[in-house]
Amino acid sequence: SSSAPGFRAIRALPARAPEQHCPSAERPALVTMGNGLCSPVTNSSSVEDEHSAIAQVDSPTMLAETKTQDTTIIDDKPSIDLKPLEEKKPEVPKAEVPKVEAPKPADAPKDTSNSKKTQMEMFTHHFGAKAEDDVGKLVRRPSTVGADLEQYVEKHKQKFADVLALESEAGWTYVKTVDGVNVYKKAVENSDFICFKGQTEMEFPKGMNDAVRTVLQAENRPQFDDMCTEGVTHQNLMPWYRVTQYFVNMPALFNPRETLTTGRACFMDDGAMVVSVENFVDPQIPIRAGYVRVKFIAGGYVFRPLNEACTKFRVTWTGSIDPQGWIPTWLANLVAPKQALTLAKLRVWLESKEKGTA
């Protein structure tokens, strides 16, 4: 047979299929703030006020401003390498690539997997022998009555796994660093909205107890979240769960929002504490007049100790929220990354508390 110009005739071999390109990281399916179609919801009559204002906000001028955001184009075309002819060898099944964790600091806690502690042992080690008091008058969730904590954590293990997946670097786009807080965003497959993440290192001299209680106590939130005007703890049954409600202001022309969430905690073998946060519904907690209740879809916190004394942590705060009502998608995506910067405000507040100026 004839050969192509510039190439010497060679023995014909069966055509080899081009190598398949595989993305470096698979994006987990998450959701973010906003409702994609900007369709109304029925959970509050106050959304009608936003309908008349939406035409002013969704103007060509404002929409044009959103197009100035940087985008990164990734060339994922399949590539073909020209290689010398080789003797065809039988295919060998590919081994599963092991997960590689980021290197830990020299003074990081030692691996205690050989002497694994129970969830209750880890909880009492950090928070004391007595569990949290029952705050509030909500009926205790039946799944926690007389249940073993190990079984309870096992039941919700996928929620904790989802938060840990968000802690990793895979799939995130770096936005900026402000006051030591790295801010990231992530597009979500089959969704018009983004997910936010903030990561920073913080010191809590009193240990894990101080870190978790300070960050998760709803009443503290207005101190380090500029949008939050009020936080309420409706029920606190840790190490099982807690129910909290937050009230937040929104940009002009939009009604204020509120969110009702439940959080659950789990300790990992390396000493990290994972707190999953999700939307909560309870008829005993009605929507406040004039507010629109948002939907917290996925996210949470990771408190990862970085030293043996357990006084220095890498804190991760991530999530995706649907604000409901008539807020446009572009505005929801614009506001979302700002939630990550609450960690920077938290550090400033903590420092002022130490100095006695808070």
Side-chain angles (χ1 to χ4, degrees):
S1 58
S2 61
S3 59
F7 288 85
R8 185 176 300 174
I10 58 175
R11 180 171 53 89
L13 293 176
R16 301 198 319 181
E19 297 177 0
Q20 296 297 320
H21 179 77
C22 179
S24 61
E26 183 177 348
R27 298 176 178 176
L30 299 173
V31 289
T32 49
M33 294 181 64
N35 55 347
L37 300 179
C38 292
S39 58
V41 295
T42 58
N43 64 359
S44 172
S45 60
S46 59
V47 298
E48 297 177 359
D49 299 335
E50 297 179 348
H51 193 190
S52 60
I54 191 65
Q56 302 177 36
V57 178
D58 202 8
S59 63
T61 302
M62 297 188 72
L63 288 175
E65 295 176 358
T66 65
K67 295 180 180 180
T68 62
Q69 299 181 8
D70 296 335
T71 54
T72 302
I73 301 177
I74 301 176
D75 183 8
D76 59 354
K77 295 179 182 179
S79 58
I80 302 177
D81 295 332
L82 294 177
K83 299 179 180 179
L85 294 177
E86 298 178 354
E87 182 179 354
K88 190 173 181 180
K89 300 179 180 179
E91 295 184 359
V92 179
K94 294 183 179 180
E96 183 178 353
V97 179
K99 296 181 179 179
V100 179
E101 297 184 356
K104 298 180 179 180
D107 60 346
K110 298 177 181 178
D111 183 9
T112 58
S113 58
N114 292 331
S115 56
K116 183 178 179 181
K117 296 182 179 179
T118 66
Q119 290 292 321
M120 186 59 76
E121 287 174 338
M122 293 288 284
F123 180 83
T124 54
H125 173 72
H126 291 288
F127 298 93
K130 184 177 180 299
E132 299 276 7
D133 294 330
D134 184 355
V135 178
K137 299 180 180 179
L138 298 179
V139 177
R140 181 166 179 165
R141 297 177 69 83
S143 60
T144 67
V145 178
D148 178 75
L149 185 58
E150 301 295 321
Q151 296 176 350
Y152 185 78
V153 170
E154 178 68 19
K155 177 181 178 180
H156 298 283
K157 65 179 182 180
Q158 187 57 52
K159 294 182 176 66
F160 302 124
D162 292 342
V163 177
L164 284 173
L166 294 175
E167 182 195 22
S168 70
E169 298 180 358
W172 290 95
T173 298
Y174 171 78
V175 178
K176 58 183 176 180
T177 298
V178 179
D179 296 332
V181 176
N182 296 326
V183 181
Y184 304 87
K185 64 181 180 180
K186 173 186 286 191
V188 180
E189 189 175 359
N190 300 323
S191 174
D192 295 327
F193 312 104
I194 64 173
C195 183
F196 71 85
K197 180 174 70 172
Q199 247 177 10
T200 188
E201 292 184 4
M202 303 181 68
E203 291 190 9
F204 293 86
K206 298 180 182 178
M208 178 79 77
N209 188 329
D210 186 32
V212 175
R213 290 180 188 271
T214 300
V215 176
L216 298 187
Q217 185 172 339
E219 288 74 12
N220 288 340
R221 190 91 192 172
Q223 302 295 331
F224 57 87
D225 188 338
D226 292 338
M227 297 181 65
C228 183
T229 59
E230 182 183 357
V232 179
T233 301
H234 287 284
Q235 192 172 43
N236 189 355
L237 284 172
M238 295 299 281
W240 308 96
Y241 68 94
R242 69 171 65 206
V243 177
T244 54
Q245 186 176 22
Y246 301 95
F247 300 88
V248 298
N249 285 329
M250 297 299 292
L253 306 178
F254 297 100
N255 293 94
R257 260 56 179 173
E258 64 164 80
T259 177
L260 185 63
T261 62
T262 182
R264 299 181 178 87
C266 169
F267 281 97
M268 309 307 295
D269 292 345
D270 62 0
M273 184 176 184
V274 182
V275 180
S276 71
V277 179
E278 62 180 307
N279 201 58
F280 187 72
V281 178
D282 193 311
Q284 299 179 76
I285 308 176
I287 300 173
R288 180 177 290 184
Y291 282 74
V292 176
R293 180 165 292 177
V294 309
K295 183 179 181 182
F296 192 102
I297 301 176
Y301 292 89
V302 179
F303 300 88
R304 190 170 294 282
L306 298 178
N307 61 2
E308 282 287 350
C310 206
T311 57
K312 185 177 181 180
F313 299 83
R314 183 171 69 238
V315 181
T316 301
W317 160 229
T318 180
S320 52
I321 308 172
D322 183 344
Q324 301 288 307
W326 290 94
I327 294 182
T329 301
W330 64 264
L331 181 58
N333 287 340
L334 184 66
V335 174
K338 295 182 179 181
Q339 261 299 307
L341 290 178
T342 57
L343 293 180
K345 297 285 186 180
L346 174 62
R347 178 186 285 106
V348 173
W349 179 58
L350 290 175
E351 291 176 352
S352 64
K353 281 183 63 179
E354 288 293 325
K355 297 177 181 179
T357 57

